[in-house]
Amino acid sequence: MSYIKEKFKAKADELNTEVKDLLKNHGTKKIDEGVTLAQAYQGMRGVTGLVTETSLLDANEGIRFRGYSIPELREQLPKAVNGAEPLPEGLFYLMLIGELPTEADVQNISSVLGRRSHVPNHVFDAIEALPISAHPMTMFTVAVMALQTESVFAKAYADGMNKKDYWSYMYEDALNLIARLPRVAAYIYRRKYKNGDHIQPDGMMDWAGNFAHMLGYEDEGFKELMRLYMVIHADHEGGNVSAHTTHLVGSSLSDAYLSFAAGMNGLAGPLHGLANQEVIKWILAMREELGGGVPTKEQIEAYVKKTLADGKVVPGYGHAVLRKTDPRFTAQMEFAKNHIPDDELVKIVWMVYETVPPILKDLGKVKNPWPNVDAHSGALLLHYGLVEYEFYTVLFGVSRALGVLASLCWDRALGLSLERPKSVTSEWMKLFVEGKVEAIAE
Ligand code: HAX
């Protein structure tokens, strides 16, 4: 280790001990009117400081999009011809407008997205410039950045746009970006995993159906899965890393491309969206280690305990806000029961669901031992042949665009401010608990 790195380690060890002490003895002290010392160190859990119109999360009940739960959306949103799952275009309309769409509204969005889906060649060139070994999420964010040349918001700002018009250009960017993302994502998939054998879009299909088609999956079951997948991953109120980052970056009047790319870099973290690839990687490794087939409950238990003993988290379990089984997990479980009840990997996912929560509960520190959205998705995708699990977070990202971009339209329509919370140092915290500095704004 270099001497500077060693010095940093010594300083970090020292401050870590002091911070643990601060948290233990003064965690509940309010450093300002609404925030405790512990909340400032521990990811601002429970601090309400954002407004997001598109959805609201209840710790026990799960997500509601403009008041509608996932089961209600599956019933009430328009569907594809002969389809049973909601069309994501309808959810986008609901998040944007706040009312359930008619069939005509959904068709309108579908055809607008189809017309705007052209992706300029330099975007594909930017993807091609990366080594084939690059992670698909790296290719995805690079592609979104390359698309930024198309921002009408950035052009209008450079030309001197009036504040009153921000929302209008943001709206255009949001629709253009949502229209282009499936093409970009499918290009990445076919480049990395299918020898660059690309598939042209089908302008007659719905947004998610066409995405499945461009990925190379024509099975109706897979198309239905994509529609459901794109709906349930779209939004989870405003504080999660991808939504919050998109909003934060947008608050400096960065355009939709810059803001969304930033959010996607957050989604690419293993405690957030990358958990979907981690879950299936973990399950496949467990199955392999145990010699294949469906393991017993006891074997799963032992594997979970080994994961924890190795200092790792059990991917797909736990949540910063939720305190019950995620309804997005339940929706996928229902889909599997209807479409692929005998799938071996799905059965393992369900056994893991029976096994993990009691073990996490016994640890005594995990606030939510229940599965989140990522605990189920991989097994469904794998069933239909999408086995390249490093790509799963890109699918999540395409869906997440619907929520965070609808939110950006609202941010600009409401003229929400530049985000700039106050921060303090640990030195300030020490002075504060010694009574040498005052709590902020008291
Ligand atoms: N396995 C093992 N330990 C876990 C755990 C899990 N699944 N979930 C929480 N814990 C641990 C935490 O690591 C923490 O331990 P330390 O005190 O030693 O640091 C402790 O329990 C308390 O954590 P918490 O308050 O219950 O949870 P947080 O709000 O801090 O974190 C996380 C929430 C989602 C990050 C966490 O539950 C986790 O790491 N889960 C596994 C990764 C995962 O599935 N992420 C996806 C979440 C959903 C999502 O965003 N999808 O995109």
Side-chain angles (χ1 to χ4, degrees), residues 45 267 270-275 308 312-321 323 328 360 363 365-368 372-374 396:
R45 290 295 180 288
L267 192 76
L271 296 187
H272 189 20
L274 202 80
L308 294 170
K312 297 177 190 165
V313 294
V314 180
Y317 283 76
H319 200 273
V321 180
R323 293 295 175 257
R328 300 173 298 175
L360 291 183
L363 290 180
K365 64 173 183 177
V366 181
K367 295 195 192 65
N368 176 37
N372 57 57
V373 64
D374 301 313
F396 194 157

PDB file of all heavy atoms in Angstrom, residues 45 267 270-275 308 312-321 323 328 360 363 365-368 372-374 396, ligand 1:
ATOM      1  N   ARG A  45     -32.747   7.777   5.498  1.00  0.00           N
ATOM      2  CA  ARG A  45     -33.971   6.960   5.639  1.00  0.00           C
ATOM      3  C   ARG A  45     -35.033   7.715   6.436  1.00  0.00           C
ATOM      4  O   ARG A  45     -34.731   8.242   7.515  1.00  0.00           O
ATOM      5  CB  ARG A  45     -33.697   5.665   6.388  1.00  0.00           C
ATOM      6  CG  ARG A  45     -32.899   4.661   5.715  1.00  0.00           C
ATOM      7  CD  ARG A  45     -33.547   4.079   4.462  1.00  0.00           C
ATOM      8  NE  ARG A  45     -32.606   3.123   3.952  1.00  0.00           N
ATOM      9  CZ  ARG A  45     -31.456   3.464   3.368  1.00  0.00           C
ATOM     10  NH1 ARG A  45     -31.183   4.731   3.140  1.00  0.00           N
ATOM     11  NH2 ARG A  45     -30.609   2.545   2.977  1.00  0.00           N
ATOM     12  N   LEU A 267     -28.747   3.059 -11.260  1.00  0.00           N
ATOM     13  CA  LEU A 267     -29.464   1.778 -11.383  1.00  0.00           C
ATOM     14  C   LEU A 267     -28.474   0.620 -11.534  1.00  0.00           C
ATOM     15  O   LEU A 267     -28.753  -0.514 -11.151  1.00  0.00           O
ATOM     16  CB  LEU A 267     -30.407   1.814 -12.593  1.00  0.00           C
ATOM     17  CG  LEU A 267     -31.426   0.668 -12.665  1.00  0.00           C
ATOM     18  CD1 LEU A 267     -32.554   0.893 -11.659  1.00  0.00           C
ATOM     19  CD2 LEU A 267     -32.017   0.520 -14.068  1.00  0.00           C
ATOM     20  N   PRO A 270     -25.200  -2.685  -7.515  1.00  0.00           N
ATOM     21  CA  PRO A 270     -25.766  -3.966  -7.053  1.00  0.00           C
ATOM     22  C   PRO A 270     -26.775  -3.859  -5.919  1.00  0.00           C
ATOM     23  O   PRO A 270     -27.556  -4.793  -5.721  1.00  0.00           O
ATOM     24  CB  PRO A 270     -24.534  -4.770  -6.606  1.00  0.00           C
ATOM     25  CG  PRO A 270     -23.444  -3.781  -6.413  1.00  0.00           C
ATOM     26  CD  PRO A 270     -23.732  -2.627  -7.320  1.00  0.00           C
ATOM     27  N   LEU A 271     -26.794  -2.750  -5.180  1.00  0.00           N
ATOM     28  CA  LEU A 271     -27.838  -2.623  -4.160  1.00  0.00           C
ATOM     29  C   LEU A 271     -29.134  -2.102  -4.767  1.00  0.00           C
ATOM     30  O   LEU A 271     -30.165  -2.039  -4.109  1.00  0.00           O
ATOM     31  CB  LEU A 271     -27.383  -1.701  -3.018  1.00  0.00           C
ATOM     32  CG  LEU A 271     -26.183  -2.181  -2.201  1.00  0.00           C
ATOM     33  CD1 LEU A 271     -25.936  -1.276  -1.004  1.00  0.00           C
ATOM     34  CD2 LEU A 271     -26.343  -3.630  -1.735  1.00  0.00           C
ATOM     35  N   HIS A 272     -29.085  -1.680  -6.033  1.00  0.00           N
ATOM     36  CA  HIS A 272     -30.297  -1.176  -6.710  1.00  0.00           C
ATOM     37  C   HIS A 272     -30.587  -2.111  -7.901  1.00  0.00           C
ATOM     38  O   HIS A 272     -30.773  -3.306  -7.698  1.00  0.00           O
ATOM     39  CB  HIS A 272     -30.056   0.287  -7.086  1.00  0.00           C
ATOM     40  CG  HIS A 272     -31.260   1.032  -7.584  1.00  0.00           C
ATOM     41  ND1 HIS A 272     -32.542   0.632  -7.351  1.00  0.00           N
ATOM     42  CD2 HIS A 272     -31.362   2.195  -8.311  1.00  0.00           C
ATOM     43  CE1 HIS A 272     -33.395   1.488  -7.914  1.00  0.00           C
ATOM     44  NE2 HIS A 272     -32.694   2.441  -8.509  1.00  0.00           N
ATOM     45  N   GLY A 273     -30.606  -1.604  -9.111  1.00  0.00           N
ATOM     46  CA  GLY A 273     -31.081  -2.395 -10.252  1.00  0.00           C
ATOM     47  C   GLY A 273     -30.238  -3.604 -10.613  1.00  0.00           C
ATOM     48  O   GLY A 273     -30.758  -4.601 -11.128  1.00  0.00           O
ATOM     49  N   LEU A 274     -28.934  -3.515 -10.363  1.00  0.00           N
ATOM     50  CA  LEU A 274     -28.080  -4.650 -10.719  1.00  0.00           C
ATOM     51  C   LEU A 274     -28.418  -5.886  -9.877  1.00  0.00           C
ATOM     52  O   LEU A 274     -27.988  -6.995 -10.205  1.00  0.00           O
ATOM     53  CB  LEU A 274     -26.598  -4.289 -10.549  1.00  0.00           C
ATOM     54  CG  LEU A 274     -25.625  -5.151 -11.361  1.00  0.00           C
ATOM     55  CD1 LEU A 274     -25.567  -4.672 -12.815  1.00  0.00           C
ATOM     56  CD2 LEU A 274     -24.206  -5.118 -10.777  1.00  0.00           C
ATOM     57  N   ALA A 275     -29.195  -5.693  -8.811  1.00  0.00           N
ATOM     58  CA  ALA A 275     -29.591  -6.841  -7.971  1.00  0.00           C
ATOM     59  C   ALA A 275     -30.295  -7.899  -8.814  1.00  0.00           C
ATOM     60  O   ALA A 275     -30.231  -9.091  -8.481  1.00  0.00           O
ATOM     61  CB  ALA A 275     -30.478  -6.375  -6.826  1.00  0.00           C
ATOM     62  N   LEU A 308     -24.217 -15.276   3.925  1.00  0.00           N
ATOM     63  CA  LEU A 308     -24.134 -14.267   4.990  1.00  0.00           C
ATOM     64  C   LEU A 308     -22.792 -14.349   5.713  1.00  0.00           C
ATOM     65  O   LEU A 308     -22.167 -13.329   6.003  1.00  0.00           O
ATOM     66  CB  LEU A 308     -25.292 -14.452   5.986  1.00  0.00           C
ATOM     67  CG  LEU A 308     -26.692 -14.188   5.419  1.00  0.00           C
ATOM     68  CD1 LEU A 308     -27.769 -14.643   6.392  1.00  0.00           C
ATOM     69  CD2 LEU A 308     -26.863 -12.704   5.088  1.00  0.00           C
ATOM     70  N   LYS A 312     -21.670 -11.268   2.598  1.00  0.00           N
ATOM     71  CA  LYS A 312     -22.410 -10.762   1.425  1.00  0.00           C
ATOM     72  C   LYS A 312     -23.883 -10.601   1.784  1.00  0.00           C
ATOM     73  O   LYS A 312     -24.356 -11.222   2.737  1.00  0.00           O
ATOM     74  CB  LYS A 312     -22.288 -11.769   0.278  1.00  0.00           C
ATOM     75  CG  LYS A 312     -20.867 -11.961  -0.206  1.00  0.00           C
ATOM     76  CD  LYS A 312     -20.852 -13.017  -1.277  1.00  0.00           C
ATOM     77  CE  LYS A 312     -19.430 -13.416  -1.633  1.00  0.00           C
ATOM     78  NZ  LYS A 312     -19.388 -14.659  -2.383  1.00  0.00           N
ATOM     79  N   VAL A 313     -24.598  -9.808   0.984  1.00  0.00           N
ATOM     80  CA  VAL A 313     -26.044  -9.713   1.183  1.00  0.00           C
ATOM     81  C   VAL A 313     -26.727 -10.812   0.368  1.00  0.00           C
ATOM     82  O   VAL A 313     -26.155 -11.327  -0.593  1.00  0.00           O
ATOM     83  CB  VAL A 313     -26.612  -8.328   0.766  1.00  0.00           C
ATOM     84  CG1 VAL A 313     -26.091  -7.234   1.661  1.00  0.00           C
ATOM     85  CG2 VAL A 313     -26.331  -8.025  -0.710  1.00  0.00           C
ATOM     86  N   VAL A 314     -27.944 -11.177   0.772  1.00  0.00           N
ATOM     87  CA  VAL A 314     -28.741 -12.106  -0.039  1.00  0.00           C
ATOM     88  C   VAL A 314     -29.460 -11.253  -1.071  1.00  0.00           C
ATOM     89  O   VAL A 314     -30.349 -10.459  -0.716  1.00  0.00           O
ATOM     90  CB  VAL A 314     -29.769 -12.877   0.824  1.00  0.00           C
ATOM     91  CG1 VAL A 314     -30.580 -13.834  -0.040  1.00  0.00           C
ATOM     92  CG2 VAL A 314     -29.058 -13.615   1.951  1.00  0.00           C
ATOM     93  N   PRO A 315     -29.077 -11.345  -2.349  1.00  0.00           N
ATOM     94  CA  PRO A 315     -29.655 -10.428  -3.332  1.00  0.00           C
ATOM     95  C   PRO A 315     -31.152 -10.694  -3.541  1.00  0.00           C
ATOM     96  O   PRO A 315     -31.598 -11.832  -3.504  1.00  0.00           O
ATOM     97  CB  PRO A 315     -28.849 -10.718  -4.612  1.00  0.00           C
ATOM     98  CG  PRO A 315     -28.263 -12.069  -4.425  1.00  0.00           C
ATOM     99  CD  PRO A 315     -28.106 -12.282  -2.946  1.00  0.00           C
ATOM    100  N   GLY A 316     -31.897  -9.605  -3.758  1.00  0.00           N
ATOM    101  CA  GLY A 316     -33.333  -9.742  -4.009  1.00  0.00           C
ATOM    102  C   GLY A 316     -34.164  -9.686  -2.742  1.00  0.00           C
ATOM    103  O   GLY A 316     -35.393  -9.749  -2.799  1.00  0.00           O
ATOM    104  N   TYR A 317     -33.499  -9.565  -1.601  1.00  0.00           N
ATOM    105  CA  TYR A 317     -34.224  -9.500  -0.321  1.00  0.00           C
ATOM    106  C   TYR A 317     -33.869  -8.209   0.402  1.00  0.00           C
ATOM    107  O   TYR A 317     -32.739  -7.742   0.339  1.00  0.00           O
ATOM    108  CB  TYR A 317     -33.914 -10.738   0.545  1.00  0.00           C
ATOM    109  CG  TYR A 317     -34.700 -11.914   0.004  1.00  0.00           C
ATOM    110  CD1 TYR A 317     -34.279 -12.557  -1.158  1.00  0.00           C
ATOM    111  CD2 TYR A 317     -35.909 -12.298   0.575  1.00  0.00           C
ATOM    112  CE1 TYR A 317     -35.031 -13.575  -1.715  1.00  0.00           C
ATOM    113  CE2 TYR A 317     -36.666 -13.316   0.030  1.00  0.00           C
ATOM    114  CZ  TYR A 317     -36.227 -13.951  -1.115  1.00  0.00           C
ATOM    115  OH  TYR A 317     -36.985 -14.941  -1.674  1.00  0.00           O
ATOM    116  N   GLY A 318     -34.875  -7.638   1.080  1.00  0.00           N
ATOM    117  CA  GLY A 318     -34.664  -6.392   1.811  1.00  0.00           C
ATOM    118  C   GLY A 318     -35.075  -5.189   0.990  1.00  0.00           C
ATOM    119  O   GLY A 318     -35.205  -5.259  -0.247  1.00  0.00           O
ATOM    120  N   HIS A 319     -35.336  -4.099   1.666  1.00  0.00           N
ATOM    121  CA  HIS A 319     -35.697  -2.855   0.991  1.00  0.00           C
ATOM    122  C   HIS A 319     -35.555  -1.689   1.959  1.00  0.00           C
ATOM    123  O   HIS A 319     -35.772  -1.861   3.161  1.00  0.00           O
ATOM    124  CB  HIS A 319     -37.133  -2.907   0.461  1.00  0.00           C
ATOM    125  CG  HIS A 319     -37.387  -1.915  -0.614  1.00  0.00           C
ATOM    126  ND1 HIS A 319     -37.787  -0.623  -0.348  1.00  0.00           N
ATOM    127  CD2 HIS A 319     -37.252  -2.000  -1.958  1.00  0.00           C
ATOM    128  CE1 HIS A 319     -37.904   0.027  -1.492  1.00  0.00           C
ATOM    129  NE2 HIS A 319     -37.585  -0.770  -2.486  1.00  0.00           N
ATOM    130  N   ALA A 320     -35.190  -0.533   1.401  1.00  0.00           N
ATOM    131  CA  ALA A 320     -35.002   0.647   2.250  1.00  0.00           C
ATOM    132  C   ALA A 320     -36.329   1.189   2.789  1.00  0.00           C
ATOM    133  O   ALA A 320     -36.360   1.810   3.848  1.00  0.00           O
ATOM    134  CB  ALA A 320     -34.270   1.731   1.462  1.00  0.00           C
ATOM    135  N   VAL A 321     -37.430   0.967   2.070  1.00  0.00           N
ATOM    136  CA  VAL A 321     -38.723   1.514   2.499  1.00  0.00           C
ATOM    137  C   VAL A 321     -39.750   0.398   2.766  1.00  0.00           C
ATOM    138  O   VAL A 321     -40.435   0.406   3.793  1.00  0.00           O
ATOM    139  CB  VAL A 321     -39.288   2.500   1.434  1.00  0.00           C
ATOM    140  CG1 VAL A 321     -40.628   3.064   1.866  1.00  0.00           C
ATOM    141  CG2 VAL A 321     -38.295   3.630   1.157  1.00  0.00           C
ATOM    142  N   ARG A 323     -41.722  -2.922   3.837  1.00  0.00           N
ATOM    143  CA  ARG A 323     -41.607  -3.796   5.007  1.00  0.00           C
ATOM    144  C   ARG A 323     -42.405  -5.087   4.846  1.00  0.00           C
ATOM    145  O   ARG A 323     -42.617  -5.832   5.804  1.00  0.00           O
ATOM    146  CB  ARG A 323     -42.079  -3.042   6.272  1.00  0.00           C
ATOM    147  CG  ARG A 323     -41.156  -1.878   6.643  1.00  0.00           C
ATOM    148  CD  ARG A 323     -39.758  -2.369   7.037  1.00  0.00           C
ATOM    149  NE  ARG A 323     -38.790  -1.293   7.281  1.00  0.00           N
ATOM    150  CZ  ARG A 323     -37.841  -0.926   6.422  1.00  0.00           C
ATOM    151  NH1 ARG A 323     -37.704  -1.513   5.241  1.00  0.00           N
ATOM    152  NH2 ARG A 323     -36.998   0.040   6.730  1.00  0.00           N
ATOM    153  N   ARG A 328     -44.562  -6.207  -6.566  1.00  0.00           N
ATOM    154  CA  ARG A 328     -43.960  -6.450  -7.885  1.00  0.00           C
ATOM    155  C   ARG A 328     -43.426  -7.878  -7.944  1.00  0.00           C
ATOM    156  O   ARG A 328     -43.428  -8.507  -9.003  1.00  0.00           O
ATOM    157  CB  ARG A 328     -42.820  -5.434  -8.140  1.00  0.00           C
ATOM    158  CG  ARG A 328     -43.296  -3.985  -8.125  1.00  0.00           C
ATOM    159  CD  ARG A 328     -42.145  -3.000  -8.204  1.00  0.00           C
ATOM    160  NE  ARG A 328     -41.244  -3.108  -7.070  1.00  0.00           N
ATOM    161  CZ  ARG A 328     -40.107  -2.421  -6.942  1.00  0.00           C
ATOM    162  NH1 ARG A 328     -39.738  -1.570  -7.888  1.00  0.00           N
ATOM    163  NH2 ARG A 328     -39.334  -2.572  -5.874  1.00  0.00           N
ATOM    164  N   LEU A 360     -33.174 -14.122   7.616  1.00  0.00           N
ATOM    165  CA  LEU A 360     -32.847 -12.691   7.728  1.00  0.00           C
ATOM    166  C   LEU A 360     -33.456 -12.095   9.001  1.00  0.00           C
ATOM    167  O   LEU A 360     -32.833 -11.286   9.691  1.00  0.00           O
ATOM    168  CB  LEU A 360     -33.321 -11.923   6.488  1.00  0.00           C
ATOM    169  CG  LEU A 360     -32.565 -12.209   5.179  1.00  0.00           C
ATOM    170  CD1 LEU A 360     -33.091 -11.316   4.053  1.00  0.00           C
ATOM    171  CD2 LEU A 360     -31.054 -12.012   5.325  1.00  0.00           C
ATOM    172  N   LEU A 363     -31.390 -12.574  12.030  1.00  0.00           N
ATOM    173  CA  LEU A 363     -30.184 -11.740  12.172  1.00  0.00           C
ATOM    174  C   LEU A 363     -30.455 -10.569  13.122  1.00  0.00           C
ATOM    175  O   LEU A 363     -29.549 -10.014  13.729  1.00  0.00           O
ATOM    176  CB  LEU A 363     -29.732 -11.191  10.817  1.00  0.00           C
ATOM    177  CG  LEU A 363     -29.147 -12.177   9.802  1.00  0.00           C
ATOM    178  CD1 LEU A 363     -28.757 -11.425   8.534  1.00  0.00           C
ATOM    179  CD2 LEU A 363     -27.929 -12.897  10.371  1.00  0.00           C
ATOM    180  N   LYS A 365     -31.124  -7.536  12.573  1.00  0.00           N
ATOM    181  CA  LYS A 365     -30.810  -6.165  12.127  1.00  0.00           C
ATOM    182  C   LYS A 365     -31.470  -5.809  10.797  1.00  0.00           C
ATOM    183  O   LYS A 365     -31.569  -4.642  10.444  1.00  0.00           O
ATOM    184  CB  LYS A 365     -29.295  -5.996  12.011  1.00  0.00           C
ATOM    185  CG  LYS A 365     -28.636  -6.874  10.956  1.00  0.00           C
ATOM    186  CD  LYS A 365     -27.161  -6.546  10.761  1.00  0.00           C
ATOM    187  CE  LYS A 365     -26.588  -7.402   9.659  1.00  0.00           C
ATOM    188  NZ  LYS A 365     -25.203  -7.115   9.365  1.00  0.00           N
ATOM    189  N   VAL A 366     -31.921  -6.831  10.046  1.00  0.00           N
ATOM    190  CA  VAL A 366     -32.485  -6.554   8.720  1.00  0.00           C
ATOM    191  C   VAL A 366     -33.924  -6.037   8.890  1.00  0.00           C
ATOM    192  O   VAL A 366     -34.771  -6.736   9.450  1.00  0.00           O
ATOM    193  CB  VAL A 366     -32.486  -7.836   7.852  1.00  0.00           C
ATOM    194  CG1 VAL A 366     -33.056  -7.561   6.474  1.00  0.00           C
ATOM    195  CG2 VAL A 366     -31.081  -8.412   7.749  1.00  0.00           C
ATOM    196  N   LYS A 367     -34.192  -4.824   8.412  1.00  0.00           N
ATOM    197  CA  LYS A 367     -35.516  -4.236   8.667  1.00  0.00           C
ATOM    198  C   LYS A 367     -36.601  -4.876   7.808  1.00  0.00           C
ATOM    199  O   LYS A 367     -37.767  -4.877   8.176  1.00  0.00           O
ATOM    200  CB  LYS A 367     -35.462  -2.726   8.443  1.00  0.00           C
ATOM    201  CG  LYS A 367     -34.551  -2.054   9.466  1.00  0.00           C
ATOM    202  CD  LYS A 367     -34.741  -0.564   9.528  1.00  0.00           C
ATOM    203  CE  LYS A 367     -33.628   0.079  10.337  1.00  0.00           C
ATOM    204  NZ  LYS A 367     -32.270  -0.060   9.712  1.00  0.00           N
ATOM    205  N   ASN A 368     -36.229  -5.388   6.651  1.00  0.00           N
ATOM    206  CA  ASN A 368     -37.230  -6.029   5.789  1.00  0.00           C
ATOM    207  C   ASN A 368     -36.685  -7.341   5.240  1.00  0.00           C
ATOM    208  O   ASN A 368     -35.840  -7.330   4.352  1.00  0.00           O
ATOM    209  CB  ASN A 368     -37.595  -5.083   4.639  1.00  0.00           C
ATOM    210  CG  ASN A 368     -38.552  -5.732   3.652  1.00  0.00           C
ATOM    211  OD1 ASN A 368     -39.436  -6.483   4.053  1.00  0.00           O
ATOM    212  ND2 ASN A 368     -38.370  -5.461   2.390  1.00  0.00           N
ATOM    213  N   ASN A 372     -37.830  -8.429  -2.816  1.00  0.00           N
ATOM    214  CA  ASN A 372     -38.160  -7.248  -3.614  1.00  0.00           C
ATOM    215  C   ASN A 372     -38.345  -7.656  -5.077  1.00  0.00           C
ATOM    216  O   ASN A 372     -38.294  -8.845  -5.406  1.00  0.00           O
ATOM    217  CB  ASN A 372     -37.097  -6.153  -3.420  1.00  0.00           C
ATOM    218  CG  ASN A 372     -35.691  -6.638  -3.781  1.00  0.00           C
ATOM    219  OD1 ASN A 372     -35.460  -7.095  -4.902  1.00  0.00           O
ATOM    220  ND2 ASN A 372     -34.753  -6.548  -2.838  1.00  0.00           N
ATOM    221  N   VAL A 373     -38.512  -6.675  -5.939  1.00  0.00           N
ATOM    222  CA  VAL A 373     -38.843  -6.929  -7.356  1.00  0.00           C
ATOM    223  C   VAL A 373     -37.814  -7.844  -8.038  1.00  0.00           C
ATOM    224  O   VAL A 373     -38.145  -8.641  -8.919  1.00  0.00           O
ATOM    225  CB  VAL A 373     -38.978  -5.593  -8.125  1.00  0.00           C
ATOM    226  CG1 VAL A 373     -37.659  -4.830  -8.177  1.00  0.00           C
ATOM    227  CG2 VAL A 373     -39.533  -5.774  -9.520  1.00  0.00           C
ATOM    228  N   ASP A 374     -36.541  -7.717  -7.602  1.00  0.00           N
ATOM    229  CA  ASP A 374     -35.463  -8.398  -8.313  1.00  0.00           C
ATOM    230  C   ASP A 374     -35.370  -9.889  -7.987  1.00  0.00           C
ATOM    231  O   ASP A 374     -34.668 -10.631  -8.679  1.00  0.00           O
ATOM    232  CB  ASP A 374     -34.131  -7.716  -7.994  1.00  0.00           C
ATOM    233  CG  ASP A 374     -34.146  -6.253  -8.404  1.00  0.00           C
ATOM    234  OD1 ASP A 374     -34.571  -5.981  -9.530  1.00  0.00           O
ATOM    235  OD2 ASP A 374     -33.765  -5.395  -7.589  1.00  0.00           O
ATOM    236  N   PHE A 396     -34.550  -3.301 -17.005  1.00  0.00           N
ATOM    237  CA  PHE A 396     -35.051  -2.477 -15.897  1.00  0.00           C
ATOM    238  C   PHE A 396     -34.934  -0.999 -16.290  1.00  0.00           C
ATOM    239  O   PHE A 396     -35.869  -0.201 -16.096  1.00  0.00           O
ATOM    240  CB  PHE A 396     -34.203  -2.803 -14.657  1.00  0.00           C
ATOM    241  CG  PHE A 396     -34.730  -2.322 -13.331  1.00  0.00           C
ATOM    242  CD1 PHE A 396     -34.331  -2.955 -12.146  1.00  0.00           C
ATOM    243  CD2 PHE A 396     -35.595  -1.249 -13.227  1.00  0.00           C
ATOM    244  CE1 PHE A 396     -34.789  -2.530 -10.910  1.00  0.00           C
ATOM    245  CE2 PHE A 396     -36.060  -0.812 -11.984  1.00  0.00           C
ATOM    246  CZ  PHE A 396     -35.639  -1.444 -10.828  1.00  0.00           C
TER     247      PHE A 396
HETATM  248  N1  HAX B   1     -28.981  -9.740   3.055  1.00  0.00           N
HETATM  249  C1  HAX B   1     -28.108  -9.574   4.098  1.00  0.00           C
HETATM  250  N2  HAX B   1     -28.092  -8.489   4.871  1.00  0.00           N
HETATM  251  C2  HAX B   1     -29.018  -7.548   4.642  1.00  0.00           C
HETATM  252  C3  HAX B   1     -29.976  -7.666   3.615  1.00  0.00           C
HETATM  253  C4  HAX B   1     -29.922  -8.814   2.802  1.00  0.00           C
HETATM  254  N3  HAX B   1     -30.750  -8.995   1.768  1.00  0.00           N
HETATM  255  N4  HAX B   1     -30.758  -6.570   3.637  1.00  0.00           N
HETATM  256  C5  HAX B   1     -30.307  -5.780   4.619  1.00  0.00           C
HETATM  257  N5  HAX B   1     -29.239  -6.366   5.222  1.00  0.00           N
HETATM  258  C6  HAX B   1     -28.388  -5.813   6.297  1.00  0.00           C
HETATM  259  C7  HAX B   1     -27.748  -4.525   5.802  1.00  0.00           C
HETATM  260  O1  HAX B   1     -26.614  -4.806   4.990  1.00  0.00           O
HETATM  261  C8  HAX B   1     -27.411  -3.840   7.104  1.00  0.00           C
HETATM  262  O2  HAX B   1     -26.269  -4.466   7.643  1.00  0.00           O
HETATM  263  P1  HAX B   1     -25.099  -3.615   8.375  1.00  0.00           P
HETATM  264  O3  HAX B   1     -25.784  -2.924   9.514  1.00  0.00           O
HETATM  265  O4  HAX B   1     -24.129  -4.663   8.791  1.00  0.00           O
HETATM  266  O5  HAX B   1     -24.564  -2.655   7.368  1.00  0.00           O
HETATM  267  C9  HAX B   1     -28.617  -4.210   7.965  1.00  0.00           C
HETATM  268  O6  HAX B   1     -29.173  -5.413   7.400  1.00  0.00           O
HETATM  269  C10 HAX B   1     -29.697  -3.157   8.053  1.00  0.00           C
HETATM  270  O7  HAX B   1     -30.080  -2.831   6.729  1.00  0.00           O
HETATM  271  P2  HAX B   1     -31.593  -2.347   6.416  1.00  0.00           P
HETATM  272  O8  HAX B   1     -31.821  -1.092   7.180  1.00  0.00           O
HETATM  273  O9  HAX B   1     -32.532  -3.475   6.621  1.00  0.00           O
HETATM  274  O10 HAX B   1     -31.526  -2.099   4.858  1.00  0.00           O
HETATM  275  P3  HAX B   1     -31.051  -0.794   4.079  1.00  0.00           P
HETATM  276  O11 HAX B   1     -32.212   0.133   3.973  1.00  0.00           O
HETATM  277  O12 HAX B   1     -29.794  -0.241   4.644  1.00  0.00           O
HETATM  278  O13 HAX B   1     -30.696  -1.390   2.651  1.00  0.00           O
HETATM  279  C11 HAX B   1     -31.036  -2.748   0.743  1.00  0.00           C
HETATM  280  C12 HAX B   1     -31.688  -1.807   1.756  1.00  0.00           C
HETATM  281  C13 HAX B   1     -32.023  -3.009  -0.389  1.00  0.00           C
HETATM  282  C14 HAX B   1     -29.795  -2.048   0.150  1.00  0.00           C
HETATM  283  C15 HAX B   1     -30.642  -4.063   1.448  1.00  0.00           C
HETATM  284  O14 HAX B   1     -31.794  -4.703   1.956  1.00  0.00           O
HETATM  285  C16 HAX B   1     -29.862  -5.024   0.555  1.00  0.00           C
HETATM  286  O15 HAX B   1     -28.635  -4.898   0.456  1.00  0.00           O
HETATM  287  N6  HAX B   1     -30.568  -6.002  -0.141  1.00  0.00           N
HETATM  288  C17 HAX B   1     -29.919  -6.897  -1.062  1.00  0.00           C
HETATM  289  C18 HAX B   1     -29.665  -6.197  -2.400  1.00  0.00           C
HETATM  290  C19 HAX B   1     -30.965  -5.977  -3.158  1.00  0.00           C
HETATM  291  O16 HAX B   1     -31.789  -6.854  -3.304  1.00  0.00           O
HETATM  292  N7  HAX B   1     -31.139  -4.751  -3.690  1.00  0.00           N
HETATM  293  C20 HAX B   1     -32.328  -4.395  -4.483  1.00  0.00           C
HETATM  294  C21 HAX B   1     -33.320  -3.558  -3.689  1.00  0.00           C
HETATM  295  C22 HAX B   1     -34.528  -3.197  -4.483  1.00  0.00           C
HETATM  296  C23 HAX B   1     -34.165  -2.328  -5.647  1.00  0.00           C
HETATM  297  O17 HAX B   1     -33.741  -1.194  -5.557  1.00  0.00           O
HETATM  298  N8  HAX B   1     -34.264  -2.871  -6.819  1.00  0.00           N
HETATM  299  O18 HAX B   1     -33.786  -2.285  -7.913  1.00  0.00           O
END
